[in-house]
Amino acid sequence: MLSSIFGLSKAAGVISTILDILILTFILYKAYELIIKTNGVQILSAIIILGLCYVVAIVFNLKTLLWILSILAPGLVIAFAIIFQPELRKLILKLGQTNFFSFTKKQKATSVDKVLTAAENLSRAKRGMLACFLNHAKCEEYLASGTFLNADLSSALLETIFMYNTPLHDGACFIQGDKIVAAGCMLPKSDNNDIAKTFGTRHRAALGLSEVSDAVILIVSEETGKLSLCYDSKLHYDLNSEQIKQIIEEKCNIKPTQAEESEDKDE
């Protein structure tokens, strides 16, 4: 009887220790995550420096330093709150916004996100778009049929090209890296008889380019507003933004640039 009680007590002690370690690890992980996402490192550094000064003063019995620190302590707390007011505010705001039970990392932004922002806005406005992501094939013939831009990629520029009836509206734009290489380009139409007759010129042109190159083409339907992709001689109709982003990044080996990574950290 005593041995079974002792056994249960020992088991409870082990479970208690494990829970203690797990909860402490969780709190420390979330605290670290919160500090890294804000300017909390500065606050932590200031606390550590003051703490070290106090420990040194106690260990070596530095009476003068201890006396100064004890007198200055209330003032230091107020000064600390004033000096680090912006950082403390950000830290408290982040604390309120943090999902403590989420361990998933935020997906990093890439150039594809800018194109998808424009695509979604054009979709809502029922305006068509053809955006071709260049891969290994150069597609010089089709680039030459349009207007060379070599412009920095932005959703605003893409919307400007396709939202209104400009001279570049009817063609396709070619994207490579973080640049819009050309716009108003003509693509070869597919002769594939398996494609439904309901699909218009944009879808046939996108399929045509996917048959002669390794480009990945994003289509926004003017009639339905649906988003589709063409690659490897196949049309994938009505995909969501998450699917499109994943496929384009995988097929074209697109990764976050240094600038995009720093923007992501700032957020």
Side-chain angles (χ1 to χ4, degrees), residues 177-215:
D178 59 351
K179 295 283 183 184
I180 300 175
V181 182
C185 303
M186 297 297 108
L187 305 184
K189 285 183 190 172
S190 173
D191 294 324
N192 189 335
N193 293 322
D194 293 333
I195 187 171
K197 295 193 178 179
T198 50
F199 290 118
T201 308
R202 278 192 184 85
H203 291 85
R204 290 187 176 275
L207 187 59
L209 183 64
S210 75
E211 290 170 349
V212 296
S213 75
D214 60 354

